[in-house]
Amino acid sequence: MVRFFFTDTITDTFNSFKMNIIKGERQMKGFIFDLDGTVYLGDKLIEGAAETIQALRDRGDKVLFLTNKPIASRQSYVEKLNALGIAAQLDEVLNSSQLTALYLQKNLKEHENVLVIGEQPIKDELKTHGISFVEDSFNVNYIVLSWDRQFHYNDLNLMHQAVVRGAKVLASNPDLTCPIEGGELPDTGALIAALEASTGKKIDLVLGKPSIMAAQIASEYLQLEPSECFMIGDRLETDIKMGNDAGMQSVLVLTGVATREMATASVSKPDYIFNSIVDVVSL
């Protein structure tokens, strides 16, 4: 059953949180936050986000930021969060680029080649993890397909020919769009759709949300069991699905892509629906 929570004011929410602390009712939990549409929109912090995250930390809970967005480095997310008033360190940020690199680090054989369709941040992350790749070749074993705002027909042809030759396709994330202040931008999912239409084949693996691998690594980062974690995000098909599939408690916030009506109709139903991140302190 989906539970709906609505608070009249931010002050009411934090007063309730303080009363729970006084009563000694809290046990340590892990809170995994999506970023775009959940903590901020574009360069604008969602009202109360900084106070909410600090309140969770103050009561002894653990916080991790997990984003599917591969067009920025993890360090840039740290810098952005700090600039917006949310203290963050590199080991508290996990993104789809790093998840992709970790997968290849574990599975790539010495003689195998990788083709990357994506922007510089994911390429840098792969290099950091010791993954080398070719820039222009049909004869590869893996294709890393990521969000690329300079995507060209030549890129589609490269991937198409490589898939025909047996290459496996690893997508950094499946998001069709990325929420920004005032709208959305086409994301990796749109490029996946083009490749699948061209080849007539589904891609092999998604590394970011909603993959179980992403959930497992997030839990390991927090050193908690999935059942002790909340996944908070604005997308049903990534954030909420991953949380549900992994045995976490899923929380949909209505500040990004999904609406209450979409949640009602979705097969991936959240455990909680909140107006915004502020209400997370009630958990």
Side-chain angles (χ1 to χ4, degrees), residues 40-86:
Y40 52 69
L41 279 171
D43 293 323
K44 184 179 180 181
L45 190 69
I46 289 172
E47 184 180 5
E51 293 85 351
T52 297
I53 290 166
Q54 188 58 51
L56 296 176
R57 287 171 165 160
D58 287 345
R59 72 188 191 190
D61 290 325
K62 294 183 176 182
V63 170
L64 179 70
F65 303 102
L66 173 58
T67 176
N68 268 359
K69 193 173 181 180
I71 60 170
S73 67
R74 289 190 299 134
Q75 181 59 40
S76 71
Y77 285 118
V78 171
E79 293 169 1
K80 180 172 183 175
L81 287 166
N82 284 321
L84 290 171
I86 298 174

Side-chain angles (χ1 to χ4, degrees), residues 145-215:
L145 176 54
S146 188
W147 188 2
D148 189 342
R149 289 167 293 182
Q150 284 75 48
F151 187 75
H152 190 276
Y153 177 85
N154 289 343
D155 298 318
L156 179 59
N157 184 46
L158 269 175
M159 293 191 294
H160 178 98
Q161 302 303 332
V163 169
V164 168
R165 288 164 170 77
K168 294 181 179 180
V169 183
L170 312 177
S172 60
N173 60 299
D175 306 64
L176 287 168
T177 61
C178 177
I180 59 172
E181 189 174 5
E184 299 176 74
L185 294 175
D187 203 327
T188 307
L191 308 186
I192 293 172
L195 180 61
E196 290 182 340
S198 168
T199 62
K201 294 178 61 177
K202 294 291 184 182
I203 66 167
D204 295 278
L205 192 61
V206 170
L207 281 311
K209 298 174 290 185
S211 77
I212 290 297
M213 175 186 164

Side-chain angles (χ1 to χ4, degrees), residues 1-15:
M1 178 181 295
V2 178
R3 285 163 277 186
F4 294 83
F5 288 78
F6 304 97
T7 53
D8 294 330
T9 65
I10 293 176
T11 301
D12 288 343
T13 302
F14 287 108
N15 283 342

Side-chain angles (χ1 to χ4, degrees), residues 262-273:
M262 291 167 65
T264 300
S266 175
V267 295
S268 298
K269 297 189 183 302
D271 293 308
Y272 301 88
I273 298 178

